[in-house]
Amino acid sequence: MALRDVRVLLLYPPNQTAPGTVCKPNGSLAYPNLGGALRDHGVDVRVFDACVGDDSDELDGMFDRPVQLPSGLLRTGVSDQRILEEAAAYDIVGITSIFTDQETMVLDCARLLRAAFPEKVLVSGGVNARSRLPQFFRAGFDVVCLSEAEGTITRIVDEVRRSARPDFAAISGVAFLDAGEIRVNPARPDDVVWDLDTLPMPAWDLLPNERYWTIARPHSGVWESGTELRYADMMTSLGCPFHCAYCHIAGEQEGSMSGPIGRYRAKSDDRVLRELDVLKGLGVEHVMIEDDSLLGNKKRALRLLRKIQGAGVDICDLNGINIIHLLKRWKPDHEVLEALAEAGFTQLNLPFESGNLRILRKYASNKLNIEMADIESLIVALKDYGFKIFGNYMMGYPDETLEEIQNTVQLARDHVSFGLDAANFFIVVPLPGTPLFDTAISEGHLRSDFDPDTMNIYRANMAGTVVPSHVLEELRSRAWEEVNSPTWKNAKRAWAATES
């Protein structure tokens, strides 16, 4: 039987943001990874980021004139008609859904495409998609990938090549509709990639990099406003040795529909160096490390850091380096700090999470004993090595008391006095796919018909918490104002004013 030619479009939807916040393109690594796998499989694949458009779209002004949605949020991106124009020539359209607060944009795109092109196969994936299957199938998706999808997407393509009416029943690691009912084929052990070096090289060239660099709004980090930032994201490892209740990794274990993809795995040194060479070949000067636990294996990390010295790029850690990995017997581990500095790291996010041992033990894998750790010496040492360092602090756990929140704010205040550049305060979000979400639903802190638009770090989504939601939002805002220096606050406000 002759196989059909199949073309795949990987679509980033437009972004939605709250008024007064900065819109940043998604640009997640999902599409370079999937694009590389499809390309190696001989598939014609394209990435279209509907938030920034391509060379046929006027970039100037796009981020200055967002459209207000009925929810009051602001939509940034190309028109629906442009999305349809881009999708018209493709047989499969993939739309990832990792971030719950962007779910509305994903589902809007699915409904738009389904109405215009009933014959196309719509595919989704990501922790939010697999955690919200009824909503995704109602919007028109045909199949949702449940695990790491580099292999799954090629099997989906092969099935579509074979038949205009594909049957996904024989594919593991997917969910699909069967006679109107949701059928789940959990991931098998061999769906999990244990040797990360076997993964195809990410196809970063498929991204609209020049447009990202002009906009200069990566997920994290601080740079001078108005400068072109030639950046790209990469990961040197997957998974994490910790299983914090508010993180999806805690739900990605043996027996879950995704399989144990939360288990810590690392790329070889040679693979990381090859990826850096690819990025430099594209003109990248700033590499944003997206690892969930870059130093999860300290011996491996030290060896890798020494090998990438002189790589010719600045490196920024985005997801945060667990603080315990920067310490040795509770004191600064200067071997690690020096290796990070010499490897080109310039900025670090430090996830302190809470000022309370009880909270850290219950919700954060007991990953740091803040009473034993010499954080003052660590911060002083990091500044001596020339790092910009930012602390992340969380509040609003269901049983967290006002006194415990005040302890966290005081901890951040102390850290700023030691030399921390700035403190970021977040409200705990019970995101779908995390143990905290399951707890919030079972204990009545969150309705099953919750509004995904509110699932962000500045909103208190849980009801019945010890500290009420409206108080939490006020405490978070006040903490940022009181703890951070006037210089930092003025710089952030000036940056937001010019970028939003």
Side-chain angles (χ1 to χ4, degrees):
M1 180 181 67
L3 299 179
R4 298 192 301 149
D5 288 333
V6 169
R7 304 182 72 205
V8 178
L9 177 70
L10 302 175
L11 173 70
Y12 292 113
N15 275 22
Q16 64 175 23
T17 50
T21 61
V22 176
C23 177
K24 300 178 180 181
N26 183 325
S28 78
L29 280 167
Y31 290 168
N33 292 340
L34 294 176
L38 289 166
R39 181 183 281 170
D40 278 9
H41 200 60
V43 179
D44 184 353
V45 57
R46 166 167 158 73
V47 171
F48 182 68
D49 189 335
C51 179
V52 305
D54 62 16
D55 290 343
S56 61
D57 300 296
E58 183 64 43
L59 186 59
D60 290 342
M62 185 180 294
F63 280 67
D64 299 326
R65 295 189 296 273
V67 176
Q68 187 169 38
L69 298 167
S71 63
L73 299 176
L74 302 177
R75 178 191 186 277
T76 299
V78 303
S79 68
D80 285 354
Q81 185 58 39
R82 279 289 291 121
I83 293 172
L84 294 176
E85 290 171 3
E86 289 296 325
Y90 294 87
D91 307 282
I92 298 174
V93 180
I95 312 176
T96 189
S97 184
I98 300 170
F99 309 110
T100 304
D101 65 338
Q102 297 299 314
E103 178 184 298
T104 295
M105 293 291 94
V106 174
L107 301 188
D108 281 356
C109 284
R111 285 187 283 264
L112 174 73
L113 293 166
R114 178 55 67 220
F117 306 115
E119 76 286 357
K120 293 190 188 301
V121 175
L122 303 186
V123 183
S124 191
V127 59
N128 185 66
R130 72 167 179 261
S131 303
R132 304 267 289 162
L133 293 175
Q135 291 81 1
F136 277 68
F137 288 121
R138 283 200 297 269
F141 281 101
D142 295 288
V143 59
V144 174
C145 299
L146 304 176
S147 189
E148 293 167 340
E150 287 87 350
T152 309
I153 192 68
T154 60
R155 292 191 287 272
I156 290 171
V157 165
D158 286 345
E159 178 58 32
V160 176
R161 280 171 165 167
R162 282 190 287 268
S163 173
R165 300 184 64 182
D167 180 1
F168 305 112
I171 301 176
S172 60
V174 299
F176 58 97
L177 287 180
D178 183 6
E181 298 294 324
I182 297 175
R183 177 170 167 181
V184 174
N185 288 350
R188 298 188 308 234
D190 58 356
D191 291 323
V192 179
V193 181
W194 299 111
D195 182 358
L196 301 188
D197 285 15
T198 64
L199 289 170
M201 187 65 66
W204 287 287
D205 59 292
L206 293 177
L207 299 177
N209 293 305
E210 297 283 350
R211 298 173 82 81
Y212 291 160
W213 298 343
T214 298
I215 296 165
R217 301 183 186 185
H219 295 165
S220 185
V222 178
W223 286 268
E224 291 295 327
S225 178
T227 59
E228 184 180 72
L229 186 66
R230 301 176 70 86
Y231 73 94
D233 299 333
M234 72 174 290
M235 298 186 77
T236 79
S237 65
L238 296 176
C240 182
F242 301 111
H243 302 152
C244 301
Y246 45 78
C247 179
H248 61 89
I249 284 176
E252 296 170 343
Q253 303 301 317
E254 197 75 49
S256 68
M257 68 171 67
S258 69
I261 59 175
R263 192 176 301 175
Y264 180 77
R265 295 154 288 155
K267 296 175 182 176
S268 71
D269 301 350
D270 288 344
R271 169 61 183 243
V272 174
L273 293 172
R274 291 202 308 274
E275 292 193 13
L276 284 173
D277 283 340
V278 170
L279 291 175
K280 287 190 293 182
L282 294 173
V284 171
E285 298 173 354
H286 302 272
V287 175
M288 314 298 185
I289 301 294
E290 296 269 11
D291 292 34
D292 290 293
S293 190
L294 176 63
L295 306 180
N297 180 327
K298 189 179 284 192
K299 181 178 178 181
R300 174 257 181 184
L302 283 169
R303 187 185 66 241
L304 175 62
L305 291 170
R306 290 177 180 128
K307 287 185 178 181
I308 64 177
Q309 291 175 14
V313 292
D314 289 333
I315 303 179
C316 174
D317 174 74
L318 295 189
N319 278 343
I321 291 178
N322 285 298
I323 295 146
I324 190 64
H325 295 143
L326 299 175
L327 302 170
K328 186 175 183 179
R329 290 190 284 274
W330 305 112
K331 298 290 184 179
D333 189 336
H334 287 274
E335 185 180 19
V336 171
L337 303 190
E338 183 176 347
L340 286 167
E342 292 183 349
F345 280 75
T346 58
Q347 302 186 34
L348 300 179
N349 289 314
L350 304 179
F352 290 104
E353 320 292 25
S354 175
N356 305 277
L357 272 180
R358 184 187 76 84
I359 294 293
L360 291 170
R361 287 169 174 164
K362 182 173 182 179
Y363 295 103
S365 299
N366 195 24
K367 61 184 179 182
L368 179 67
N369 188 320
I370 55 174
E371 294 180 0
M372 296 182 66
D374 187 353
I375 300 301
E376 179 176 1
S377 294
L378 176 63
I379 290 173
V380 170
L382 285 166
K383 296 308 297 181
D384 286 343
Y385 281 102
F387 293 107
K388 288 183 179 178
I389 51 174
F390 310 96
N392 294 336
Y393 307 85
M394 301 167 68
M395 59 180 70
Y397 297 93
D399 58 345
E400 187 176 30
T401 66
L402 179 59
E403 181 182 4
E404 287 175 321
I405 291 174
Q406 291 169 339
N407 289 342
T408 297
V409 175
Q410 183 58 49
L411 184 75
R413 187 178 287 112
D414 291 342
H415 292 168
V416 169
S417 74
F418 301 154
L420 191 78
D421 288 279
N424 303 307
F425 295 93
F426 306 136
I427 295 179
V428 177
V429 186
L431 291 170
T434 68
L436 184 61
F437 175 84
D438 297 336
T439 298
I441 292 290
S442 65
E443 295 184 357
H445 298 298
L446 189 68
R447 292 165 54 105
S448 58
D449 61 345
F450 68 90
D451 181 1
D453 290 348
T454 67
M455 283 287 183
N456 63 69
I457 55 179
Y458 306 111
R459 295 285 298 271
N461 284 273
M462 289 187 282
T465 52
V466 171
V467 178
S469 58
H470 70 281
V471 177
L472 283 171
E473 292 180 6
E474 179 182 339
L475 287 170
R476 190 212 68 80
S477 179
R478 188 193 310 160
W480 187 85
E481 290 285 349
E482 293 180 354
V483 170
N484 288 305
S485 69
T487 301
W488 170 256
K489 289 185 290 186
N490 291 337
K492 283 288 283 186
R493 291 187 178 113
W495 183 74
T498 58
E499 298 292 329
S500 60

